[in-house]
Amino acid sequence: MLYPAINEVCNWQKTSTTKKKFQIQNRRFLGNKHKLLDLIKDIVKENCGIIDSFCDIFAGTGVVGNCFNDEKIKVISNDLLYSNYVSLRTFLGTKFLIQSELDNKIEYLNNLETNKDNYFSINFGNRYFTIENARKIGFIRETIEEISENAEEKAALITSLIYAADKVANTVGHYDAYRIKMDSYSRLKLLVPDIDIENNARNMVLNEDANRLVRKISCDVLYIDPPYNSRQYSDTYHLLENLAVWGKPKVYGKAKKMKRTHLKSNYCLKGALDAFKDLIENTRCAHILVSYNNTGESKHGRSNARIKDKDILTILKTKGESQIFEREYQAFTAGRSITNNHKERIFYCKVKKQL
Ligand SMILES: C[S@@+](CC[C@H](N)C(=O)[O-])C[C@H]1O[C@@H](n2cnc3c(N)ncnc32)[C@H](O)[C@@H]1O
């Protein structure tokens, strides 16, 4: 196996360093529903019967769609951020990948070494990462462009890099800021994604605005988990987005964010209620589940929920009989505005059959 010569110092020793695999949930992500999967599965089992398709339209990490991913169910998984899309595509959309080739390429990338600066180390080194890790991340990302043989393989390699970079980031789990004192000296190590290719045959993975996509699809169960407050995911995860897209844009300010206007979500803005109403109006499905955080009133205005529970219920009722399921839940927060008695709510609507 030979990969293109790259004008860098490149010591590739064929050592077996990458046998350990990572799973879809092995990632820090605000609002991820990994701890809520049992509740979601129970609601679907008790109310929806046997299902043929499940759509996770604000998928984030994709853990919810993933827990319904088997040979019988078609999973549609979608997110506005490209950095989430590549990972969704890897875990839920991979159909043809040759495992041994992916393993070899990840091993090759792990063994790359460089002392030279690049786009990533200049902007993010000694800030979000040690300078050594930042140089390596930039070098690996550039190399992925050169060695990927197809879009599926490229997505898997980028996903491996995103998960590995997040493990060594000098942050509290998001990229609004980095720790002033460097506190993360572990060396970057790419692992192999643990993909169940057999389950992905009928799946669809997309990178669209949910309100546009909803007009084009139909499914048995539609799971809706939009952002709850004014914190844009494109602000929180700008660095991973930048790494995934790799257009090497100019970055600004202390947090080194690129321009993100095209990634703004209506669900974080004043128009959130209208966006939600439009989304529900245009659904074509038999069951709707909605997650929306009961964050209560926080002293940080940015943490307050954009849509009220009563409005969600009113809108869902236009589609059919609706109710709320509740469970105590310890949310992942950045540690600043934790609210007491945190409950995760899932709104459920059994959609009326159209005559
Ligand atoms: C609360 S998180 C979803 C978490 C996810 N359920 C999980 O378990 O990881 C909301 C997600 O919606 C995405 N998003 C925001 N606005 C969107 C839009 N208009 N269309 C599609 N996705 C959007 C964000 O990028 C973010 O990943």
Side-chain angles (χ1 to χ4, degrees), residues 29-34 56-64 78-81 84 208-211 223 225-228 233 265-267:
F29 194 77
L30 280 168
N32 85 77
K33 298 299 178 296
H34 184 57
D56 189 5
I57 203 161
F58 295 85
T61 57
V63 291
V64 178
N78 172 67
D79 201 277
L80 191 58
L81 292 187
N84 290 339
E208 278 200 49
D209 179 278
N211 287 60
Y223 175 65
D225 186 15
Y228 316 123
Y233 276 79
S265 172
N266 285 334
Y267 291 83

